[in-house]
Structure formats: structure tokens, C-alpha cells
């Protein structure tokens, strides 16, 4: 799997003339070389439904006069660049207008994506219709006739659908479309049948050819769906709505699945479909480095002009980032994560709601800003290598998870749980021994926490917690780490105070954070609170809890809060690679996160606990040796001034 990929969108209207008329083999090759690109995903079929090659399974774009797909593959292969081939699977606007009865509909007969046929946009197909056979024929044609280096199928996944094909199928089975459980089973079966049909279409002709089904998100906890792919492509355009926290959350889960994966960003200022938009070169440098630091290859999204010429400004921009990636690749191949903390994903626990998403997002921010080494895991993951497992906010404990966590704590591991996490499904008891007993869901929101410890940045106080909480009492073997305080009353029509909420009544309402044999429990949805409010006290409270539970941190570095650090083991080179990154996104326009400046950091020092003696420490890719001290199982070194991304190699 190549490191320096481009995803070349080409969704092109039939109303535009001269499609591909300015395509030049030489110019195409020159731009790939300018961009230091070693793989480019090219289009066989777009969302408009048109093919970009001669076809009997589809219709060639009416304004295209030659085999553009074949010309691109030939040009790229001639200079050693791979060419995965893209087909729009879920969208086909040409066919949607001919067969609207094959489109996904919700229970109110509303269409998916564009709401009607008088609004510009696309409409999504149900795979439980004859459309599936048409798509399979299109895929077979491409695989049989072209030297594709992979197949990328877009806009697919388990979809809720009440089209008449799905309604007829569920009634044929003796059920009813109002039976949600049976409908969900049908939607799962529909996607599995789609995936098997595509797999057969590809691998019956070319066994082993890479295939990826893109749904925009790899669901944590759905390993069965992930394994339908030969590899994973994590779509995460920071400026396109994903933000800079999204990719680390996805990547820290994907690396643990043992599959090749890449991070997909874009060259756009905003997101897909933007012509004439460019992000700062420093942003791409940071985003590509973030992929490397998380064990991923990289894909950068671009969109080809309808006339078929590649944009020099885009490939100069991409080249600035990929020139650096090319120099770093040798230290980033075949790596595995080294981590102290396992974040058990709230999404993977089976809760698809916004509270779970916020719990995961807040937890990742807490871990990144505290410079902890962490992986995101699900209930199937092996926990034996982690010192601490985090249960964020919403994870109730069933019997299989209880047994897994009990085995973890029996070997000395610790748990950090918040909110409803750690409770039995009915909320009546803790399934882990935190030295506390649950009473009831707190009636007060917000409420307050007065810790029994000092925060690094603030004097002790009663700190507001906006999220839902639990009332608990201390058990005989518990240690109270701070108390809950309630407000005088909740904000209501005849009981309100000031502009936002009522202050604390300053009375002890029971423990707010406790420590027991299993670990530490905090009685609020603190990770959701941090995701939504970004409170400094909440961050420092959680960092205190983590530091108290960790026997030792494998890596300690004095990075600023926005710094990122990871540690990747490379067994083939008998070395660890310590990644340090720093950039500070700022908000521009309406919630667009932008990176422009990459300040130089100096005075950064790191300590790494190592399992065996280290022979040398050096900067990569520069090769500059670093002086280091090795004592008590730790290696200590200071970095010279650096910006954006620096790798430090610990050679055993």
C-alpha cells in the first residue's frame, strides 16, 4: 500500500462540453511527479452516473470522446504510479431519474440525500433492488478490461430504507415494516449481500485485488463491517466538518484492527467539490505528518477539471507535503502502536447516539492534550498490554465485558470510569469495585465538584459540571477524591438565578470522585462535558485521575497543549519511533479550522521508558544523532529546535 496517494474526484455534469479535451499524458505525468504522488485513484464512474471509458454495462459521458480512464492508467503506470479505480456505488443520478423506485426512502417516503428532483443534488440507491446487478456488471467490466490496482466503491453502508422493494421483502418473510428489529436485520443483510456481490465481481476476475467500500466513517465496534474491506481509508477532512480531533480517534482504533489503512484528507480549503479552493501548505504538512504518526498511509483529495488538465497549483501544494513524507517513509512502514491507555469506545459499546459520539470525542481530546499514549479499542480487543482502560460516560457493563475487565484488574490494570459507565445495565449497582455505591441519577444539572486535590492551573474551588451526573455514596473500601455540591435549585420558571444557572449551595452532597480497588470513578459525564464545553477544570481533573492510575508513563514530553505525541514500534528495524507534532488550528469563517503558522518549538525534552538498552538515538529523516542519558530503564533526550513534525528514533 503506497504512502503518497491522491483521490482524484471527477463528478462531472453532462451539461459541460469538452470533457477531457485538454487531457495530456505528459502533463498528467508531470503533475504526479511535481506532487511526489505514487498512487492516484481515477474514475470509471461518477455520482452523475456516467462512465469515463467505453462501456456496455453503463453509458459513456456524452461529452467525452475517448477512453479517459484507460489514458490515465497508462500514463500513471508508465511512471510507476498505481491506479486504484473509483466507481460511485450508492449514487447514480442518471439512473435515479429513470428508476426512482430503486431509491432509498425513509418511513415517510422521503428520499436520501437530495429531498426531491427539483433540488440540485444526488439521490441514493437501495441495494435491495435491481440496481445491485447493474452495479456489479459495471464493476466486472472495469476489472476485466483495465489494469486497476484496486477498486474504490463510494457511498455505501448499512442503510435504513423503506422503499417498496424492502417493504415487499419484509412482508414476504411474514413480518411487517413497523417491526424495527426485523427491518434492521434486513438492512444488515442487504449490505452484506451487496459486499459479497462486489467481492465476487472483483475477485472472480482478479483474486486479491484491493477493494474498499467507503461510507465516510469506519464504525468502531463493527469489525465485521471493517473486514469486508481489504484495507481501510479513513475519510477525515479537517476543514470539511471533521475537525482536527477526528482523525486520531479513527486512526487509534483502525491501527488495532491489524489492517493496512490510510488517512484521507483534502487539498481543499473546505471540502469535496470545491474548485479553486486551497489550504495552506503548512496544513497539508501537518495533516500528512499526523497520518504517519498514527501508523497510516495518506491520501489527499483533489478534483479534476472537466477539461481533464491537472492543476499545477494543487500539485505544487501536494508536493510540498509529499516531499517530506517520501523522506520519512522508511521509519513508518509496518509499525505497531505502543500505548499505556486503552479508550473503550462509547460508539463501540453499541450506543449510536450523540452522547456516545461526544464521550469519544471528549476522551480523545483529553488524551491528546495530556500527551498520553493511547489506543481506541472495542470489546474484542486484548487489554493485557494497557495500564489503564477508560470507560467514557455511557458504557454499562454486561457479563462478557465484566469478565474482561475483571481479568484486566486482576493482573494489576486499572479502570477510569465516568457517568453511567461501570454500572450494571439497570443502573442498580457497580459491576466493578470503585469503592462506591450508586444511589440515583442526580436531579441537579448543572452541579459542582470540589476536589480534595489542587489543580495545576487554579486554586481550589467548586467547579461547575454541566453534564448529567449520578448520586453515589462511599463504600467501606473507597477513598473520596472530592465532593459533589448541588445548586440551590435547577433553573425553572419561578426558580432561577442570574444569567445562566444557580450557584452552589456549598453543602456536601456526597462523593463526586472515588477510588477503589478497580480504579477511579467520577460521577458525571465528564468526557461529554469536555467535548461540549472545553472546561479547563474538567481537563485537569481527568488528567489527575489518569496520572494517579498510571504507574508510569512510557513517554513524557513537555509539549504545549496542542502538541501530539505517539510512539510506534518498528520490529523490522529493531527500533521505536517517537513522533512529536505541533500546530494550532484557528477558526476562520463559519467554523472552518485552519492551520497556517507552524511555529518553531525549542526546549522540548522527552523521557521514554524502554524495554531494553538503546544503542543510539537520532532524528529522522535527518539522521542527526542526539545525545541521551539511559538510566533506570528510561532514555532521556532534548530535541533541537523543530517545527510541525519531528521523529526521534530509538535504535535498540
Amino acid at each position: 500500500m503506497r504512502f503518497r496517494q491522491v483521490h482524484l474526484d471527477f463528478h462531472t455534469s453532462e451539461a459541460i462540453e469538452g470533457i477531457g479535451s485538454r487531457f495530456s499524458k505528459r502533463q498528467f505525468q508531470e503533475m504526479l511527479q511535481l506532487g511526489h504522488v505514487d498512487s492516484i485513484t481515477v474514475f470509471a464512474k461518477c455520482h452523475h452516473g456516467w462512465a469515463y471509458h467505453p462501456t456496455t454495462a453503463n453509458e459513456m459521458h456524452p461529452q467525452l470522446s475517448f477512453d479517459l480512464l484507460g489514458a490515465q492508467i497508462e500514463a500513471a503506470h508508465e511512471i510507476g504510479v498505481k491506479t486504484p479505480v473509483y466507481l460511485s456505488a450508492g449514487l447514480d443520478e442518471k439512473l435515479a431519474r429513470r428508476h426512482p423506485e430503486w431509491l432509498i426512502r425513509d418511513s415517510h417516503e422521503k428520499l436520501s440525500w437530495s429531498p426531491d428532483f427539483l433540488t440540485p443534488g444526488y439521490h441514493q440507491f437501495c441495494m435491495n433492488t435491481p440496481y445491485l446487478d447493474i452495479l456489479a456488471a459495471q464493476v466486472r467490466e472495469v476489472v476485466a478490461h483495465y489494469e486497476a490496482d484496486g477498486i474504490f466503491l463510494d457511498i455505501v453502508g448499512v442503510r435504513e430504507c423503506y422503499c417498496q422493494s424492502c417493504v415487499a421483502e419484509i412482508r414476504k418473510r411474514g413480518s411487517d415494516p413497523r417491526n424495527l428489529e426485523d427491518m434492521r436485520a434486513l438492512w444488515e443483510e442487504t449490505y452484506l449481500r451487496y459486499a459479497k456481490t462486489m467481492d465476487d465481481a472483483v475477485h472472480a476476475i482478479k483474486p486479491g485485488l484491493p477493494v474498499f467500500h467507503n461510507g465516510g466513517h469506519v464504525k468502531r465496534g463493527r469489525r465485521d463491517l471493517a473486514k469486508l474491506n481489504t484495507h481501510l481509508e479513513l475519510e477525515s477532512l479537517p476543514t470539511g466538518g471533521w475537525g482536527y480531533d477526528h482523525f486520531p480517534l479513527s486512526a487509534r482504533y483502525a491501527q488495532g484492527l491489524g489492517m493496512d489503512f490510510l488517512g484521507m484528507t483534502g487539498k481543499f480549503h473546505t471540502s469535496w467539490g470545491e474548485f479553486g479552493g486551497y489550504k495552506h501548505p503548512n496544513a497539508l504538512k501537518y495533516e500528512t505528518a499526523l497520518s504517519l504518526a498514527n501508523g497510516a498511509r495518506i491520501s489527499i483529495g483533489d478534483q479534476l477539471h472537466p477539461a481533464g488538465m491537472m492543476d499545477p497549483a494543487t500539485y505544487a501544494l501536494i508536493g510540498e507535503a509529499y516531499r517530506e513524507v517520501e523522506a520519512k517513509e522508511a521509519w513508518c512502514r509496518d509499525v505497531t502502536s505502543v500505548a499505556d491507555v486503552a479508550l473503550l469506545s462509547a460508539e463501540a459499546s453499541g450506543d449510536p447516539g450523540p452522547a456516545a459520539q461526544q464521550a469519544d470525542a471528549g476522551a480523545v481530546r483529553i488524551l491528546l492534550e495530556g500527551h498520553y499514549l493511547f489506543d481506541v479499542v472495542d470489546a474484542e480487543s486484548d487489554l493485557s498490554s494497557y495500564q489503564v482502560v477508560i470507560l467514557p460516560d455511557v458504557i454499562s457493563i454486561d457479563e462478557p465485558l465484566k469478565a474482561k475487565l475483571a481479568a484486566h484488574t486482576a493482573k494489576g490494570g486499572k479502570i477510569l470510569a465516568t457517568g453511567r459507565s461501570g454500572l450494571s445495565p439497570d443502573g442498580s449497582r457497580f459491576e466493578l469495585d470503585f469503592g462506591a455505591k450508586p444511589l440515583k441519577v442526580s436531579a441537579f444539572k448543572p452541579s459542582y465538584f470540589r476536589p480534595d486535590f489542587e489543580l495545576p492551573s487554579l486554586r481550589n474551588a467548586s467547579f461547575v459540571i454541566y453534564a448529567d451526573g449520578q448520586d453515589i455514596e462511599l463504600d467501606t473500601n473507597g477513598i473520596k477524591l472530592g465532593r459533589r455540591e448541588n445548586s440551590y435549585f435547577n433553573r425553572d420558571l419561578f426558580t432561577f438565578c442570574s444569567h445562566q444557572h444557580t450557584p452552589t449551595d456549598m453543602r456536601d452532597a456526597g462523593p463526586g470522585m472515588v477510588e477503589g480497588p478497580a480504579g477511579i470513578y467520577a460521577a458525571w459525564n465528564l468526557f461529554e462535558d469536555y467535548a461540549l464545553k472545553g472546561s479547563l477544570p474538567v481537563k485537569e481533573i481527568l488528567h489527575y485521575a489518569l496520572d494517579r492510575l498510571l504507574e508510569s508513563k512510557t513517554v513524557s514530553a513537555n509539549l504545549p497543549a496542542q502538541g501530539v505525541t505517539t510512539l510506534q514500534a518498528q520490529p523490522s528495524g529493531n527500533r521505536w519511533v517517537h513522533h512529536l507534532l505541533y500546530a494550532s488550528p484557528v477558526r476562520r469563517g463559519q467554523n472552518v479550522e485552519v492551520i497556517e503558522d507552524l511555529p518553531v518549538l525549542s526546549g522540548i525534552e522527552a523521557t521514554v521508558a524502554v524495554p531494553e538498552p538503546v544503542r543510539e538515538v537520532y532524528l529522522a529523516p535527518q539522521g542527526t544523532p542526539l545525545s541521551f542519558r539511559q538510566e533506570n530503564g528510561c532514555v532521556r533526550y532534548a530535541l533541537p529546535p523543530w517545527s510541525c513534525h519531528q521523529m526521534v528514533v530509538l535504535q535498540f
Side-chain angles (χ1 to χ4, degrees):
M1 191 176 183
R2 298 286 176 91
F3 272 87
R4 292 168 278 117
Q5 304 190 33
V6 162
H7 187 96
L8 189 64
D9 259 16
F10 197 53
H11 303 294
T12 309
S13 168
E14 62 275 10
I16 298 176
E17 298 180 351
I19 302 302
S21 59
R22 295 182 61 185
F23 173 80
S24 159
K25 176 180 180 180
R26 180 178 177 184
Q27 197 258 356
F28 188 76
Q29 292 174 332
E30 287 175 347
M31 293 301 101
L32 295 180
Q33 291 167 333
L34 176 64
H36 291 254
V37 176
D38 59 11
S39 178
I40 184 165
T41 300
V42 290
F43 268 42
K45 175 196 173 186
C46 73
H47 290 343
H48 292 274
W50 302 110
Y52 295 95
H53 59 90
T55 175
T56 57
N58 194 1
E59 298 171 47
M60 194 161 86
H61 195 292
Q63 308 292 347
L64 177 65
S65 62
F66 69 103
D67 185 353
L68 177 60
L69 173 65
Q72 290 173 324
I73 291 174
E74 178 185 341
H77 282 181
E78 195 173 277
I79 58 172
V81 175
K82 286 190 173 184
T83 53
V85 173
Y86 174 104
L87 293 96
S88 180
L91 305 178
D92 184 323
E93 195 58 19
K94 163 175 56 65
L95 206 57
R97 292 182 174 272
R98 299 174 189 175
H99 290 283
E101 72 276 14
W102 295 349
L103 298 175
I104 287 176
R105 295 179 185 271
D106 69 12
S107 58
H108 301 288
E109 284 291 304
K110 291 182 179 178
L111 295 166
S112 177
W113 284 51
S114 190
D116 51 52
F117 283 98
L118 295 178
T119 303
Y122 305 114
H123 302 84
Q124 190 172 187
F125 275 88
C126 175
M127 297 298 177
N128 192 28
T129 66
Y131 174 72
L132 179 62
D133 294 330
I134 293 173
L135 178 63
Q138 294 170 350
V139 171
R140 279 193 295 270
E141 183 179 60
V142 169
V143 176
H145 295 166
Y146 293 94
E147 289 301 316
D149 292 306
I151 296 294
F152 185 108
L153 296 161
D154 203 10
I155 319 298
V156 290
V158 178
R159 300 290 194 249
E160 177 181 314
C161 183
Y162 290 89
C163 75
Q164 291 309 305
S165 293
C166 289
V167 170
E169 175 63 26
I170 207 70
R171 296 191 68 196
K172 181 181 175 183
R173 298 180 181 189
S175 187
D176 186 300
R178 290 165 292 190
N179 185 322
L180 185 56
E181 184 177 341
D182 286 353
M183 290 302 293
R184 284 174 174 162
L186 173 63
W187 301 330
E188 293 275 347
E189 291 172 25
T190 297
Y191 184 61
L192 290 176
R193 183 169 61 253
Y194 149 81
K196 184 180 186 306
T197 301
M198 295 303 108
D199 187 72
D200 291 344
V202 173
H203 294 143
I205 301 170
K206 291 184 179 176
L209 191 70
V211 179
F212 178 66
H213 308 278
N214 185 45
H217 175 62
V218 176
K219 290 187 177 180
R220 296 180 291 280
R222 291 302 306 268
R223 293 184 178 220
D224 56 333
L225 299 183
K227 298 296 183 180
L228 296 174
N229 304 283
T230 57
H231 66 285
L232 299 176
E233 305 198 18
L234 308 182
E235 189 176 358
S236 185
L237 281 63
T239 55
W242 284 262
Y244 278 94
D245 294 330
H246 177 267
F247 178 72
L249 173 57
S250 293
R252 297 288 4 103
Y253 178 68
Q255 192 175 21
L257 298 179
M259 302 174 68
D260 285 340
F261 72 105
L262 59 80
M264 178 186 286
T265 184
K267 70 94 178 181
F268 317 105
H269 172 62
T270 58
S271 193
W272 300 108
E274 179 185 58
F275 292 98
Y278 304 85
K279 63 178 45 163
H280 196 285
N282 285 343
L284 270 189
K285 288 180 181 180
Y286 178 79
E287 290 159 22
T288 55
L290 191 62
S291 280
L292 296 179
N294 283 282
R297 271 68 163 173
I298 307 142
S299 178
I300 298 175
D302 179 28
Q303 181 146 336
L304 184 66
H305 189 277
M309 70 284 193
M310 301 278 269
D311 177 33
T314 291
Y315 287 87
L317 169 64
I318 292 172
E320 288 198 41
Y322 273 173
R323 184 184 304 109
E324 295 187 6
V325 172
E326 188 172 14
K328 298 171 181 175
E329 289 176 15
W331 292 272
C332 301
R333 291 192 179 93
D334 304 320
V335 295
T336 57
S337 166
V338 179
D340 299 324
V341 177
L343 168 62
L344 182 56
S345 167
E347 180 187 69
S349 73
D351 184 343
Q357 299 297 328
Q358 290 157 1
D360 282 348
V364 164
R365 289 175 192 170
I366 289 291
L367 290 163
L368 287 172
E369 292 171 19
H371 310 135
Y372 298 94
L373 300 182
F374 70 96
D375 291 331
V376 179
V377 302
D378 58 27
E380 297 181 49
S381 300
D382 180 2
L383 303 179
S384 61
S385 65
Y386 304 105
Q387 296 183 52
V388 176
V389 175
I390 296 176
L391 308 181
D393 295 353
V394 298
I395 301 179
S396 59
I397 308 296
D398 58 18
E399 285 302 319
L401 182 56
K402 179 180 178 180
K404 194 178 192 75
L405 294 173
H408 173 70
T409 57
K411 294 180 179 178
K414 296 295 183 180
I415 309 293
L416 172 60
T418 57
R420 300 200 309 271
S421 291
L423 293 167
S424 58
D426 64 3
S428 64
R429 64 187 181 277
F430 282 113
E431 297 288 15
L432 302 163
D433 191 354
F434 293 114
K437 296 178 182 178
L439 298 175
K440 64 183 185 304
V441 176
S442 174
F444 291 88
K445 183 179 180 181
S447 55
Y448 297 82
F449 179 56
R450 177 174 281 272
D452 291 344
F453 49 88
E454 291 284 337
L455 302 187
S457 303
L458 298 165
R459 295 281 185 91
N460 211 344
S462 298
F463 300 109
V464 63
I465 309 293
Y466 291 97
D468 291 336
Q470 308 286 326
D471 288 342
I472 62 173
E473 64 180 0
L474 199 65
D475 207 347
T476 54
N477 60 346
I479 301 170
K480 182 172 72 72
L481 300 177
R483 78 185 199 188
R484 164 192 287 280
E485 295 177 1
N486 294 323
S487 59
Y488 289 98
F489 39 73
N490 286 332
R491 192 175 183 87
D492 202 356
L493 179 60
F494 300 112
T495 55
F496 70 91
C497 178
S498 191
H499 298 291
Q500 291 195 53
H501 51 259
T502 311
T504 171
D505 63 11
M506 297 185 291
R507 291 183 291 184
D508 187 343
M513 180 183 281
V514 293
E515 183 174 12
I520 291 176
Y521 171 78
W524 293 269
N525 293 350
L526 290 183
F527 293 109
E528 175 191 355
D529 194 278
Y530 195 67
L532 296 177
K533 299 293 186 179
S535 161
L536 173 63
V538 168
K539 176 168 74 170
E540 294 193 347
I541 289 163
L542 286 165
H543 285 172
Y544 171 85
L546 274 169
D547 290 342
R548 188 176 173 99
L549 294 175
L550 283 168
E551 288 188 8
S552 62
K553 294 173 72 171
T554 300
V555 169
S556 297
N558 60 335
L559 285 167
Q562 290 298 112
V564 173
T565 188
T566 68
L567 188 62
Q568 299 286 345
Q570 193 178 43
S572 62
N574 193 29
R575 59 197 179 200
W576 281 0
V577 182
H578 180 201
H579 293 262
L580 302 100
L581 300 95
Y582 181 75
S584 187
V586 296
R587 293 292 177 95
R588 297 278 173 82
Q590 293 183 334
N591 295 323
V592 178
E593 293 189 12
V594 173
I595 290 175
E596 286 190 7
D597 299 322
L598 292 175
V600 174
L601 271 67
S602 58
I604 301 300
E605 300 178 351
T607 301
V608 181
V610 291
E612 58 183 290
V614 169
R615 188 184 74 205
E616 61 176 325
V617 177
Y618 63 91
L619 302 179
Q622 301 96 318
T624 307
L626 286 185
S627 60
F628 64 98
R629 288 187 295 123
Q630 188 167 192
E631 55 189 10
N632 301 321
C634 290
V635 170
R636 294 176 173 82
Y637 47 84
L639 282 76
W642 59 279
S643 70
C644 188
H645 179 220
Q646 181 59 65
M647 298 187 296
V648 180
V649 181
L650 284 71
Q651 185 69 55
F652 296 115

